[in-house]
């Protein structure tokens, strides 16, 4: 088609316009600043024509077509605000208002009321605009004002629907619903989750999951996309319900997993009141998971945030000034040798903080004893996981994939933007294959769900590797112990599918990482990928695992991912930093943290004392929240959250992404890098005269290849480059033990991955405890009934290695004869998986 034919000439309200062919009348009008009222149309959704507020007159066309569904044509003459069109719109709007709480909308005193009413009247049931959390942000309000509706000529009907407040993050008052269908279309078209639908008919029509299920039962991901598009106050966030409209927004990177979604922080005054998805075609495409959408506000705005330093003296908390805190820290650290010092940091820090932390340890303390909690999360599979990151494929490859193999991946509450891409891939005709031992988000949508018995995953994957070897011909079922004949037939079918396509992507989740045989599982995934030429995308739970490797935040690694035993690199750093950096001793920090050796100094930066922390003479805790219990540190320093600092993250794809400051830290809290710089200078260390994260970034760029510009990072997906290798302790595998009469259940455990700065999100975010609270044992409903166990009963779980008590959660999809529990960091129950028995406590 020629460029001349790509546009058409139309006339809207006597304005001759040249617009793009294929646009609707509404889109053409909006792009030329011509107002046409609408309540059901949205830029991200397909035209619906349900509210009929956008009706217009078109010469030569019968009736009043809806502007949102009518495409423009050459020579079309359109009138948007004739007397008859406006009269029809007012009539339709009155019908809508007759079933909507609308007293304030048509009140003669609404302007005076709004001007002199100092506060929003908070109420359980919304009876008017002044009692609505969406007051001032409501599209229905705007349409009423534009059309100047002053009264309702129809009987007013209040629907008397129950206000639904049971779900964790937002309330639903469908008495305010105008049935525009936006939330349904967002759920079905954009999120492709299909949780919501119209129910009933006529005046009894409502919106919600089918069959009167709760949103949790219906598989809702609580992404909040429905809340974002609601034009009225029918859907409202619990936390920011009465905060009103934000003054400004700041685009930054979410730190709550390795996907690295771009989020828009909603700021009012000096407070973050909410977070919304940012339009970002590289990563999240305007979508977020429940953590980025609803958890940020409570996480950074909790009243219990640390606001000033304190020390614990004789069991008493004593608030102190920064000068005293820095002097005390410097005094204790100066008196400590490198061998008696340990620093633990999280892999969800900004690169600038990670870099400065390892420089602080190596220059100010003369020690390589710095480590991240990623080591305890990945344990013996850490190096193998990094091997997969070296093969890393970008998330965008999913858009071209014919087959997507998901191993140990659940995308419901974490990484749900990946789940959206998977559902879109299915719509394009791609096949999804999932290997997972428990019911998960892909169970229903996958073309093939391979459900191994816990403990047989290695055999299963080895069979798949053999079946996909290039030299192998045919699809004969591979013989492997423990996987069962029917499962072997399914693997043969899967192998044929994988070998029969050239566009395969393998996604790796967290399910199998805590298993004793995780190194063998990850090695099998690598071999499988090489057999079929697939791209591999590990989806780390930590936001900056990639960055922690490149910044050298481990004893065995230097900045750039080089080995700490590389004498040439050590010499280069000595020259760069003008400091005497020690050679790495044979004993790594991992052994120090696990040996129980009494350290003289332990510095927890962005971490909390774990349940089984190594003993230390003096403990510094630097975080945004006080340790639990509050006297868990000798010196506690208040630091800034990610919403209060500038910096960069590197997501699981290797994209360098900006973190931008939105508000100032509360009280006297400071950025982590600034606290370290103050302490280092007090100790007399050189090379810590940084005044901003930008300056730290510039120093990193001189050491780490491709680190790039601070303000405009390239954001190009890259595979991990790491020459060093980490020291890992091999787990003692329990083998493939089967349940028996004495120990009839098979228990699997996972470590809590929804964390920020050492704390599970459920600690500070009330709604998170309903979705992913740790320390709860999942039991099949029928198994629980046989054992006389009810929901939330205390259950004693016993094996040959331990005896633990956890509250029970009935899960109908949990495989019979199996249990699952998510452990807090620092907890251990021995081999994983292994057989156990259960009983109700005190019975």
């Amino acid at each position: 088609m020629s460029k001349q034919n790509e546009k058409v000439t139309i006339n809207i309200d006597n304005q001759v316009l040249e617009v793009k062919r294929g646009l609707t009348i509404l889109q053409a009008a909006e792009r030329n600043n011509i107002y046409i009222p609408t309540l059901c149309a949205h830029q991200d959704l397909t035209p619906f024509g349900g509210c009929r507020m956008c009706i217009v007159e078109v010469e030569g066309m019968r009736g009043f077509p809806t502007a949102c569904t009518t495409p423009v044509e050459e020579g079309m003459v359109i009138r948007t605000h004739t007397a008859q069109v406006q009269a029809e719109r007012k009539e339709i709007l009155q019908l809508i208002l007759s079933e909507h709480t609308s007293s304030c909308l048509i009140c003669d005193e609404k302007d005076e009321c709004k001007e002199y009413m100092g506060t929003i009247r908070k109420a359980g049931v919304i009876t008017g605009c002044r009692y609505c959390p969406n007051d001032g942000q409501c599209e229905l309000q705007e349409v009423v004002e534009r059309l100047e509706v002053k009264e309702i000529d129809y009987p007013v009907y209040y629907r008397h629907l129950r206000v639904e407040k049971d779900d964790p993050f937002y309330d639903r008052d469908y008495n305010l619903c105008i049935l525009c269908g936006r939330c349904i279309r967002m759920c079905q078209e954009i999120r492709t989750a299909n949780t919501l639908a119209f129910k009933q008919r006529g005046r009894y029509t409502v919106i919600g999951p089918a069959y009167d299920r709760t949103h949790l039962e219906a598989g809702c991901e609580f992404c909040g996309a429905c809340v974002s598009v609601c034009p009225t106050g029918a859907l409202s966030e619990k936390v920011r319900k009465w905060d009103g409209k934000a003054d400004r927004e700041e685009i930054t990177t979410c730190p709550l997993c390795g996907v690295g979604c771009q989020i828009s922080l909603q700021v009012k005054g000096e407070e973050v009141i909410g977070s919304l998805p940012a339009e970002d075609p590289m990563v999240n495409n305007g979508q977020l998971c429940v953590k980025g959408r609803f958890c940020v506000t409570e996480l950074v705005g909790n009243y219990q945030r640390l606001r000033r330093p304190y020390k614990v003296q004789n069991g008493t908390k004593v608030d102190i000034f920064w000068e005293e805190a820095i002097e005390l820290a410097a005094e204790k650290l100066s008196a400590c040798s490198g061998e008696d010092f340990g620093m633990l940091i999280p892999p969800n820090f900004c690169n600038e903080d990670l870099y400065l932390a390892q420089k602080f340890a190596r220059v100010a303390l003369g020690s390589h004893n710095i480590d991240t909690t990623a080591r305890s999360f990945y344990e013996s599979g850490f190096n193998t996981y990094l091997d997969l990151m070296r093969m890393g494929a970008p998330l965008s490859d999913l858009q071209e994939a014919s087959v997507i193999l998901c191993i140990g991946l659940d995308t419901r509450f974490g990484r749900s933007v990946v789940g959206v891409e998977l559902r879109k891939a299915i719509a394009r005709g791609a096949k999804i294959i999932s290997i997972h031992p428990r019911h998960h988000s892909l169970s229903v949508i996958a073309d093939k769900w391979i459900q191994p018995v816990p403990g047989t995953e290695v055999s299963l994957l080895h069979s798949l590797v053999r079946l996909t070897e290039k030299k192998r011909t045919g699809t004969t079922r591979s013989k492997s112990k423990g996987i069962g004949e029917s499962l072997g037939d399914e693997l043969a079918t899967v192998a044929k599918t994988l070998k029969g396509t050239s566009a395969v992507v393998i996604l790796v989740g967290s399910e199998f990482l805590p298993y004793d045989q995780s190194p063998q599982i990850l090695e099998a995934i690598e071999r499988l990928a090489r057999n079929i030429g697939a791209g591999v995308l590990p989806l780390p739970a930590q936001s900056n695992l990639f960055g922690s490797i490149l910044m050298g935040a481990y004893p065995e690694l230097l900045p750039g991912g080089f080995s700490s035993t590389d004498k040439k690199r050590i010499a280069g750093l000595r020259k760069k930093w003008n400091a005497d950096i020690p050679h790495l001793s044979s004993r790594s920090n991992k052994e120090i943290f696990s040996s129980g050796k009494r350290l003289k100094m332990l510095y927890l930066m962005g971490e909390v004392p774990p349940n089984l922390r190594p003993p230390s003479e003096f403990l510094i805790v630097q975080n945004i929240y006080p340790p639990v219990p509050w006297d868990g540190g000798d010196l506690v320093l208040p630091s800034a959250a990610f919403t209060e600092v500038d910096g960069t993250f590197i997501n699981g794809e290797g994209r360098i992404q900006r973190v931008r400051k939105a508000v100032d830290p509360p009280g006297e809290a400071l950025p982590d890098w600034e606290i370290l710089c103050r302490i280092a200078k007090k100790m007399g260390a050189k090379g810590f005269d940084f005044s901003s994260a930008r300056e730290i970034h510039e120093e990193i760029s001189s050491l780490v290849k491709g680190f790039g510009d601070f303000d405009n990072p390239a954001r190009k997906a890259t595979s991990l480059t790491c020459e060093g290798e980490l020291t890992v302790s091999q787990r003692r595998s329990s083998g493939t033990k089967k349940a028996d009469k004495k120990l009839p259940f098979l228990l699997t455990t996972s470590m809590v991955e929804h964390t920020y700065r050492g704390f599970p999100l459920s600690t500070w975010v009330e709604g998170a405890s309903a979705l992913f609270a740790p320390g709860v044992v999942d039991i099949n409903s029928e198994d629980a009934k046989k054992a006389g166990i009810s929901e939330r009963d205390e259950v004693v779980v016993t094996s040959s290695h331990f005896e633990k008590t956890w509250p029970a959660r009935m899960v109908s999809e949990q495989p019979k004869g199996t249990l699952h529990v998510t452990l807090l960091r620092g907890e251990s129950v021995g081999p994983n998986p292994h057989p156990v028995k259960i009983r109700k406590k005190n019975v």
Side-chain angles (χ1 to χ4, degrees), residues 82-94:
T82 66
Q84 193 170 0
V85 166
Q86 290 292 78
E88 290 287 341
R89 286 175 180 162
K90 285 185 178 182
E91 197 77 10
I92 295 168
L93 185 55
Q94 286 187 61

Side-chain angles (χ1 to χ4, degrees), residues 29-170:
E30 288 176 340
R31 296 185 186 189
N32 289 276
N33 297 317
I34 298 172
Y35 177 75
I36 298 177
T38 182
L39 291 170
C40 68
H42 190 274
Q43 62 180 1
D44 296 328
L45 303 173
T46 56
F48 186 54
C51 71
R52 298 196 61 78
M53 294 305 303
C54 66
I55 57 173
V56 293
E57 284 186 6
V58 179
E59 281 192 5
M61 191 174 291
R62 294 180 59 185
F64 300 106
T66 51
C68 68
T69 61
T70 306
V72 295
E73 296 179 6
E74 178 67 36
M76 184 177 274
V77 178
I78 305 153
R79 299 181 182 89
T80 67
H81 287 82
T82 66
Q84 193 170 0
V85 166
Q86 290 292 78
E88 290 287 341
R89 286 175 180 162
K90 285 185 178 182
E91 197 77 10
I92 295 168
L93 185 55
Q94 286 187 61
L95 286 168
I96 292 173
L97 294 176
S98 69
E99 290 192 356
H100 181 90
T101 302
S102 51
S103 56
C104 292
L105 288 170
I106 59 173
C107 179
D108 294 336
E109 300 175 349
K110 63 180 178 180
D111 294 332
E112 292 81 1
C113 179
K114 190 168 187 177
E115 183 176 356
Y116 296 108
M117 191 174 188
T119 61
I120 294 175
R121 300 299 185 230
K122 302 171 186 176
V125 177
I126 296 166
T127 57
C129 298
R130 302 297 88 82
Y131 299 85
C132 181
N134 221 39
D135 190 19
Q137 308 171 76
C138 177
E139 294 179 41
L140 184 60
Q141 269 183 328
E142 181 184 1
V143 173
V144 170
E145 291 171 6
R146 290 270 194 165
L147 295 182
E148 299 180 343
V149 173
K150 303 296 184 183
E151 59 184 6
I152 300 175
D153 296 330
Y154 297 97
V156 175
Y157 172 69
Y158 185 74
R159 303 185 70 189
H160 294 283
L161 297 172
R162 181 181 70 88
V163 180
E164 301 175 24
K165 298 185 177 182
D166 305 326
D167 285 324
F169 293 106
Y170 53 90

Side-chain angles (χ1 to χ4, degrees), residues 398-529:
L398 296 184
Q399 299 172 9
E400 306 296 331
S402 301
V403 177
I404 303 170
L405 176 61
C406 304
I407 302 177
L409 177 63
D410 190 332
T411 64
R412 184 176 179 187
F413 297 132
R415 315 175 183 93
S416 71
V417 296
V418 178
V420 174
E421 292 301 319
L422 291 175
R423 293 190 290 266
K424 288 181 178 178
I426 292 173
R428 291 193 301 270
K431 293 184 177 180
I432 308 295
I433 301 168
S434 180
I435 299 177
H436 202 292
R438 298 181 295 127
H439 186 85
H440 59 296
S441 62
L442 308 182
S443 303
V444 178
I445 66 171
D447 292 85
K448 182 75 69 175
W449 172 23
I450 303 296
Q451 188 177 14
V453 175
T456 65
E457 292 81 7
V458 174
S459 296
L460 184 149
L461 287 169
H462 282 171
S463 295
L464 201 53
V465 168
R466 286 193 292 271
L467 286 167
T468 54
E469 289 173 351
K470 292 182 179 179
K471 295 181 180 179
R472 189 180 185 91
T473 58
T475 58
T476 306
R477 178 170 60 84
S478 178
K479 295 181 180 180
S480 292
K481 294 180 180 179
I483 65 171
E485 185 174 346
S486 60
L487 203 53
D489 293 334
E490 289 189 57
L491 287 179
T493 303
V494 169
K496 182 179 179 180
T497 302
L498 294 175
K499 291 175 69 176
T501 183
S502 58
V504 181
V505 175
I506 300 177
L507 300 181
V508 183
S510 302
E511 180 69 21
F512 300 128
L513 297 179
Y515 280 35
D516 288 3
Q517 293 183 308
S518 67
Q520 294 92 329
I521 292 172
L522 296 172
E523 286 171 3
I525 294 172
E526 181 181 351
R527 290 171 56 195
L528 176 63

Side-chain angles (χ1 to χ4, degrees), residues 600-628:
K600 191 169 184 178
M601 284 290 305
L602 177 60
Y603 201 142
L604 297 181
M605 182 175 161
E607 280 296 340
V608 295
N611 294 337
L612 300 174
R613 71 179 177 106
S616 60
E617 294 180 18
F618 196 85
L619 174 62
I620 299 176
V621 176
Q622 182 174 310
N623 215 323
I624 66 173
Y625 287 109
V628 181

